[in-house]
C-alpha cells in the first residue's frame, strides 16, 4: 500500500527522527513536533550498536553516523584498580558486515538524522489530546491548534505524553541504580571502550568524536536522588575516588556543567504498543536499562521496521500489528538481558564479587565476542 499521507510524529529524538528519515527513504513525509524550545546539541554520548548502524545503512545514513562518530572495535573489562579482567574485539563484525559499534555524541546523531529531512521539526509544541476515529486521529496541540492524521507515532521518550493519552498511567520500573554521564575532552591515544567494575558501581568510558570522550558511571542508589550538575560531579568523584586506570582521567576532570547529566535507570514494560491509529516506538514503548548499550539501536530498528511495514501492508492496522509482532519478542529479550547484565554488574557483597570475577574471567575472549555478536544480529538490515 502507499504510506499514509498524514502522519504525525511526536518527539524529535532518535526514534522520531529515524522514523521520519525512513519515511523519506520510502518517498513519504510526516509532521514532527517536539517540546524542546530550540534545536541545539543536547545530551551526552551514546553507543550505537553495529546492529543499529546496519539498520541505518538500509536508509542510507549509516556512513554519515560513522563519519561523525568513532568506531568501537574493542571492549575491555577492568577491575577498580585498572587490571584487565577480560575483553574482546569486534573485528569479526567489521570483517563480515563492514561496520562496527559506533560511539557518537547525541547531538551529532540528531544532526545527521534531522539533516536528512526536508522539513524541520516544529519546536516548543506537543500534543495535549488524541481522539481516535475509525480511519484517523484528531490531535490537539499545546499551542491551541488541532489537525487530523491517518497515523500518530509516539516517539516522545520514557515520559511519553502519547503513551499516557492512549494507555493511561504506566509505571516506570526503577532498576535500583542511577547514572551520571559526562562528556570531556578526549586525550591523545585513547581508543576503544572500557568498563571498570567495582562494588555496586561501574564506570564506562568511550570516545565519541575526534576530540570528545564520554563516560557513564552507574551506582546503586535510592530513586529520585536528583542533584544539580555541580553536585553530580562531586558525587561522581566521591563514589569513584578509589578507581584507577582510565577512570582517573574522568574523576580528575572538570567538565562543563552543561555536559553533566544525572538520571534514574528505569524500564517501561507494556503488553502492547499499538492502538487503532496510534503506535509507540523507542523509549516511549520500551525504555530499557542501558547496560547492553542497546536503547538507541532498538529505537532505530523500531523506526525502520515500522516504515517498512507501512510500505508492505495493505492497511494501517495490519502494518501496526505486523510491526508489534516482529519487534516485541526481540525488544523484551533485550530488556531482560540488559536488566540481568545490570544486576550482575552492580553486585556488592564479597562472595558475589568473587563469583562475578570468576565468571567474567572464565570466558574465552573469542567466545565472548561471538556470544555478544549473536545476540545483536540485526533482523532489520
Amino acid at each position: 500500500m502507499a504510506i499514509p499521507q498524514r502522519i504525525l510524529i511526536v518527539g524529535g529524538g532518535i526514534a522520531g527522527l529515524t522514523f521520519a528519515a525512513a519515511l523519506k527513504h520510502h518517498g513519504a513525509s510526516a509532521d514532527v513536533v517536539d517540546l524542546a524550545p530550540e534545536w541545539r546539541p543536547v545530551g551526552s554520548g551514546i553507543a550505537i550498536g553495529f546492529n543499529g548502524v546496519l539498520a541505518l545503512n538500509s536508509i542510507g545514513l549509516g556512513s554519515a553516523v560513522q563519519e561523525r562518530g568513532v568506531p568501537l572495535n574493542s571492549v575491555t573489562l577492568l577491575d577498580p584498580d585498572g587490571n584487565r579482567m577480560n575483553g574482546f574485539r569486534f573485528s569479526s563484525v567489521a570483517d563480515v558486515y563492514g561496520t562496527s559499534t559506533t560511539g557518537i555524541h547525541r547531538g551529532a546523531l540528531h544532526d545527521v538524522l534531522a539533516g536528512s529531512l526536508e522539513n524541520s521539526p516544529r519546536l516548543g509544541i506537543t500534543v495535549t489530546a488524541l481522539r481516535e476515529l475509525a480511519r484517523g486521529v484528531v490531535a490537539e496541540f499545546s499551542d491551541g491548534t488541532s489537525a487530523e492524521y491517518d497515523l500518530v507515532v509516539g516517539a516522545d521518550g520514557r515520559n511519553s505524553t502519547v503513551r499516557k493519552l492512549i494507555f493511561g498511567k504506566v509505571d516506570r520500573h526503577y532498576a535500583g541504580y542511577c547514572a551520571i554521564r559526562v562528556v570531556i575532552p578526549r586525550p591523545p591515544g585513547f581508543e576503544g571502550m572500557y568498563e571498570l567494575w567495582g562494588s555496586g558501581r561501574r564506570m564506562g568510558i568511550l570516545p565519541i568524536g575526534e576530540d570528545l570522550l564520554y563516560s557513564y558511571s552507574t551506582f546503586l542508589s535510592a530513586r529520585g536522588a536528583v542533584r544539580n550538575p555541580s553536585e553530580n560531579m562531586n558525587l561522581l568523584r566521591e563514589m569513584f575516588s578509589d578507581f584507577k586506570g582510565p577512570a582517573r582521567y574522568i574523576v580528575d576532570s572538570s567538565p562543563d556543567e552543561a555536559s553533566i547529566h544525572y538520571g534514574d535507570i528505569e524500564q517501561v514494560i507494556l503488553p502492547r504498543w499499538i492502538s487503532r491509529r496510534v503506535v509507540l516506538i523507542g523509549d516511549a514503548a520500551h525504555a530499557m536499562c542501558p547496560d547492553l548499550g542497546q536503547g538507541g539501536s532498538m529505537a532505530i530498528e523500531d523506526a525502520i521496521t515500522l516504515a517498512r511495514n507501512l510500505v508492505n501492508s495493505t492497511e494501517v492496522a495490519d502494518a501496526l500489528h505486523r510491526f508489534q509482532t516482529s519487534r516485541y519478542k526481540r525488544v523484551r529479550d533485550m530488556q531482560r538481558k540488559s536488566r540481568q547484565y545490570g544486576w550482575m554488574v552492580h553486585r556488592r557483597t564479597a562472595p558475589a564479587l568473587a563469583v562475578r570475577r570468576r565468571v567474567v574471567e572464565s570466558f574465552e575472549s573469542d567466545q565472548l565476542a561471538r556470544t555478544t555478536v549473536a545476540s545483536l544480529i540485526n533482523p532489520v538490515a
Side-chain angles (χ1 to χ4, degrees):
M1 80 174 207
I3 292 178
Q5 293 297 307
R6 301 170 300 170
I7 299 177
L8 172 66
I9 303 171
V10 183
I14 295 172
L17 292 178
T18 303
F19 180 58
L23 289 177
K24 182 187 175 187
H25 180 77
H26 291 292
S29 62
D31 294 339
V32 183
V33 298
D34 192 275
L35 194 55
E38 59 180 326
W39 196 255
R40 57 187 176 83
V42 294
S44 48
I46 189 171
I48 300 299
F50 73 88
N51 54 307
V53 177
L54 284 172
L56 288 170
N57 282 345
S58 72
I59 59 170
L61 294 180
S63 295
V65 169
Q66 290 181 289
E67 289 172 4
R68 292 291 299 270
V70 178
L72 303 174
N73 293 319
S74 66
V75 179
T76 305
L77 301 179
L78 308 173
D79 66 18
D81 293 324
N83 300 313
R84 187 181 188 275
M85 296 190 294
N86 209 327
F88 57 90
R89 297 187 62 80
F90 278 127
S91 55
S92 59
V93 177
D95 291 343
V96 174
Y97 297 102
T99 188
S100 62
T101 294
T102 298
I104 187 170
H105 194 285
R106 286 177 180 267
L109 176 59
H110 289 181
D111 284 347
V112 170
L113 297 173
S116 71
L117 306 179
E118 293 180 358
N119 300 317
S120 299
R122 293 166 58 197
L123 299 178
I125 185 175
T126 190
V127 292
T128 56
L130 294 171
R131 180 162 52 92
E132 293 187 274
L133 309 175
R135 305 290 294 181
V137 185
V138 175
E140 297 180 10
F141 297 100
S142 54
D143 65 355
T145 62
S146 64
E148 185 175 337
Y149 293 91
D150 300 312
L151 175 66
V152 173
V153 179
D156 48 343
R158 64 174 181 170
N159 299 318
S160 172
T161 297
V162 175
R163 185 180 67 228
K164 183 177 181 180
L165 291 173
I166 297 299
F167 296 108
K169 185 179 184 299
V170 175
D171 290 334
R172 302 194 303 270
H173 303 274
Y174 183 49
Y177 51 100
C178 64
I180 297 177
R181 301 175 174 92
V182 300
V183 175
I184 60 175
R186 177 183 177 184
F190 193 103
E191 304 290 340
M193 178 176 177
Y194 294 86
E195 277 203 353
L196 295 91
W197 294 1
S199 173
R201 299 165 294 160
R202 175 261 311 272
M203 179 183 288
I205 310 169
L206 59 146
I208 57 172
E210 286 188 9
D211 56 356
L212 292 178
L213 195 67
Y214 167 53
S215 175
Y216 53 91
S217 299
T218 62
F219 50 91
L220 297 173
S221 171
R223 189 176 198 169
V226 178
R227 296 169 169 81
N228 65 48
S230 61
E231 290 176 329
N232 289 338
M233 196 61 202
N234 290 335
L235 177 61
L236 186 150
R237 295 189 183 104
E238 176 186 334
M239 294 291 297
F240 294 88
S241 61
D242 58 331
F243 273 40
K244 299 180 176 61
R248 294 312 315 166
Y249 188 76
I250 306 300
V251 173
D252 295 337
S253 67
S254 299
D256 295 334
E257 289 192 359
S259 70
I260 305 171
H261 300 269
Y262 177 101
D264 292 332
I265 303 303
E266 299 174 326
Q267 292 194 111
V268 171
I269 300 173
L270 293 171
R272 62 190 177 98
W273 308 331
I274 61 175
S275 185
R276 282 178 291 179
R277 291 283 178 136
V278 180
V279 58
L280 303 176
I281 62 175
D283 282 356
H286 48 68
M288 63 182 63
C289 296
D291 301 278
L292 292 180
Q294 278 292 306
S297 294
M298 290 298 104
I300 289 167
E301 289 186 7
D302 279 356
I304 292 170
T305 302
L306 177 58
R308 190 173 295 172
N309 276 279
L310 288 169
V311 170
N312 295 329
S313 300
T314 57
E315 295 288 343
V316 171
D318 180 59
L320 299 189
H321 175 75
R322 288 174 179 270
F323 163 73
Q324 175 159 300
T325 300
S326 65
R327 293 294 299 156
Y328 196 83
K329 183 180 184 301
R330 175 168 172 80
V331 169
R332 286 293 289 124
D333 285 347
M334 201 62 66
Q335 283 183 311
R336 283 190 286 266
K337 289 175 182 177
S338 296
R339 185 69 187 95
Q340 290 166 357
Y341 187 82
W343 180 86
M344 176 185 68
V345 167
H346 293 93
R347 295 304 85 199
R348 59 181 175 182
T349 66
L353 293 175
V355 170
R356 183 183 72 181
R357 180 150 193 157
R358 286 198 299 271
V359 170
V360 170
E361 293 179 341
S362 69
F363 278 95
E364 188 266 330
S365 294
D366 288 342
Q367 177 191 1
L368 189 59
R370 287 193 300 271
T371 301
T372 303
V373 169
S375 69
L376 301 180
I377 289 299
N378 187 1
V380 175

